[in-house]
């Protein structure tokens, strides 16, 4: 892309919204030609305020063009535009494909078999473990893991893919010259160092704007062949992603949880609406074209000593109090507390608020 074409694309996308930009491109054929359209054609394509914005280039446009030109000179930085021959076909087939895709990392991952993994920013300990374990197993099965670099399930999904030596794509809601949330800066650096890809439809310098994150979810859904929801409340951005996946004709999977957990209610709602209930990565792979093999014991289950197993069995999988455990297994309080501490240190259980305990993985 030469500097004139880059300037035209940036002026177009910064002047009007995506729907209007697509109308203009359909009329003119290229961004440069858009700005040569006669006034009558522009009046037809752009109502009222959009026409005014189109006539006045944004004040920051020149700075953005210079910044973008310098950014694109750096290794691993790229820009895909709608109409490029290697624009991701799955994303192109959605109802609202982005006009621009800013890329940092391995561009070729856009064409690989992919699974989206999304969920709560505040998952339970089990939810975080599930996201990480499913991502590891699916990455080992040959799938690229797509998520949004948010705290919680998103971060765990990226980590799981990287732990497995697999590929992962982070679709973000800001410009690629910044990382949000800041707490995930190290994860973003690890993702790029591990051969992953960062993707954004937003121009460099775009700050954190709440409205951008629900919109970026359609890209997460559109890049993937299926969408796995790990944990989600009833009012959750993850359910937006799942709905967009359905609208794009993709498979939707949901992991069930405790009937007492608010973080499980969104998944249960999806299952009632037709999402596939999954308990292992194998359940996901059965619905997708085969790429390889993965063990049905996909949650990286670790064997626990026999003496701990009775306690884990007594706990079940819902949060449970110390008193309830004492009643179930008949152990003295001191012995039970010591055993719980050992299980916690080994990573088999989590200590929750209110002096509750919950299993983190199957034993």
């Amino acid at each position: 892309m030469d500097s004139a074409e880059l300037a035209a694309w940036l002026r177009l996308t910064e002047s009007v919204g995506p729907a209007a930009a697509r109308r203009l491109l359909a009329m003119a054929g290229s961004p440069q030609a858009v700005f040569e359209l006669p006034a009558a054609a522009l009046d037809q394509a752009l109502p009222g305020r959009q026409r005014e914005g189109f006539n006045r280039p944004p004040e920051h446009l020149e700075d953005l063009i210079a910044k973008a030109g310098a950014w694109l000179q750096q290794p691993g930085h790229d820009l895909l535009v709608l109409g490029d021959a290697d624009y991701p076909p799955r994303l192109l087939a959605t109802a609202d494909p982005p006009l621009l895709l800013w890329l940092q990392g391995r561009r070729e991952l856009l064409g690989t078999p992919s699974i989206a993994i999304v969920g709560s920013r505040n998952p339970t300990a089990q939810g975080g473990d599930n996201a990480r374990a499913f991502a590891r197993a699916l990455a080992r099965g040959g799938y690229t893991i797509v998520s949004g670099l948010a705290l919680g399930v998103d971060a765990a999904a990226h980590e799981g893919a990287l732990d497995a030596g697999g590929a992962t794509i982070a679709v973000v809601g800001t410009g690629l010259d910044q990382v949000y949330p800041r707490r995930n800066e190290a994860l973003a650096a690890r993702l790029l160092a591990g051969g992953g890809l960062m993707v954004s439809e937003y121009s460099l310098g775009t700050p954190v704007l709440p409205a951008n994150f629900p919109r970026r979810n359609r890209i997460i859904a559109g890049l993937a062949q299926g969408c796995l929801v790990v944990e989600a409340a009833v009012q959750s951005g993850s359910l937006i992603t799942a709905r967009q996946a359905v609208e794009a004709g993709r498979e939707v999977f949901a992991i069930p949880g405790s009937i007492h957990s608010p973080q499980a209610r969104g998944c249960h709602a999806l299952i009632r609406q037709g999402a596939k209930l999954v308990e292992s990565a194998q359940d996901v792979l059965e619905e997708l074209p085969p790429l390889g093999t993965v063990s049905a014991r996909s949650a990286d289950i670790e064997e626990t000593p026999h003496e701990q197993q009775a306690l884990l069995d007594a706990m079940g999988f819902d949060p449970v109090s110390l008193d309830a455990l004492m009643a179930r297994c008949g152990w003295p309080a001191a012995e039970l507390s010591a055993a719980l501490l050992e299980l916690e240190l080994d990573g088999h259980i989590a200590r929750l608020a209110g002096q509750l305990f919950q299993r983190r993985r199957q034993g």
Side-chain angles (χ1 to χ4, degrees):
M1 183 184 300
D2 61 29
S3 58
E5 185 180 3
L6 174 63
W9 274 108
L10 293 177
R11 179 181 174 187
L12 176 63
T13 55
E14 294 292 309
S15 299
V16 297
R22 281 195 293 268
R23 286 198 302 272
L24 292 169
L25 287 169
M27 296 172 65
S30 73
Q32 295 101 315
V34 163
F35 296 100
E36 299 173 0
L37 287 170
L42 292 174
D43 290 337
Q44 179 183 353
L46 300 175
R49 292 183 179 178
Q50 286 187 338
R51 183 74 160 87
E52 295 175 10
F54 181 83
N55 288 339
R56 293 194 305 271
E59 293 180 0
H60 67 282
L61 182 61
E62 292 302 320
D63 288 341
L64 176 58
I65 292 171
K67 188 175 185 179
W71 187 86
L72 289 169
Q73 294 301 312
Q74 299 178 51
H77 292 190
D78 213 338
L79 178 63
L80 267 180
V81 301
L82 191 66
D84 278 350
D86 52 353
Y87 192 94
R90 286 192 295 269
L91 191 56
L92 185 61
T94 61
D96 186 18
L99 275 78
L100 302 180
L101 286 176
W102 299 84
L103 309 175
Q104 184 175 358
R106 288 176 58 203
R107 170 174 171 160
E108 61 268 25
L109 292 183
L110 292 172
T112 58
S114 304
I115 297 288
I117 298 181
V118 297
S120 173
R121 286 175 169 79
N122 299 289
T124 65
Q126 182 69 67
D129 288 344
N130 285 343
R132 198 170 287 105
F134 271 75
R136 277 197 298 264
L138 292 167
R140 288 170 182 157
Y143 283 90
T144 296
I145 304 302
V146 184
S147 200
L149 201 69
L151 298 175
V153 165
D154 286 18
H158 294 304
E159 289 166 356
L162 293 168
D163 290 346
T168 186
I169 297 173
V171 183
V172 303
T174 64
L176 285 186
D177 52 345
Q178 59 188 296
V179 174
Y180 177 81
R182 288 285 184 89
R183 284 167 56 184
N184 279 345
E185 286 182 342
L187 176 58
R190 182 188 173 198
L191 183 151
L192 292 171
L197 176 67
M198 303 273 288
V199 178
S200 178
E201 69 176 316
Y202 299 110
S203 296
L204 302 176
T206 301
V208 178
L209 300 173
N212 287 353
F213 291 89
R215 277 194 56 77
R216 69 88 192 266
N217 289 351
R218 80 192 194 285
I219 303 176
I220 296 174
L223 286 174
Q225 292 164 268
C227 177
L228 171 64
V229 183
V230 177
E231 279 188 345
V234 173
Q235 300 295 327
S236 167
S238 302
L239 300 192
I240 295 174
T241 310
R243 186 189 71 241
Q244 292 167 332
V246 170
E247 292 171 354
R250 311 298 154 80
E251 298 286 347
V252 175
F253 310 95
I255 300 175
S258 168
I259 61 173
H260 304 294
S261 172
Q263 300 289 36
R265 291 174 187 162
C267 289
H268 293 169
L270 289 174
I271 292 166
R272 286 194 294 271
Q273 294 163 15
K276 179 172 180 179
L277 184 156
V278 296
E279 298 174 324
S280 72
Q282 193 64 43
D283 293 336
V284 177
L285 295 173
E286 286 173 357
E287 301 297 320
L288 299 170
L291 300 176
T293 59
V294 63
S295 170
R297 289 174 61 83
S298 57
D300 289 356
I301 297 167
E302 296 177 2
E303 297 299 328
T304 54
H306 178 74
E307 59 271 17
Q308 295 179 336
Q309 189 60 53
L311 178 54
L312 289 171
D313 291 341
M315 289 185 72
F317 290 92
D318 285 348
V320 61
S321 69
L322 184 66
D323 288 343
L325 276 176
M326 288 175 61
R328 291 179 190 178
C329 64
W331 292 13
E335 184 179 348
L336 181 58
S337 296
L340 288 171
L341 177 59
E342 184 177 353
L343 286 170
E344 183 181 2
L345 293 174
D346 288 343
H348 293 296
I349 68 171
R351 188 182 300 266
L352 309 179
Q355 289 300 303
L356 299 176
F357 301 88
Q358 185 177 27
R359 286 175 71 168
R360 298 187 66 168
R361 57 174 70 99
Q362 298 178 14

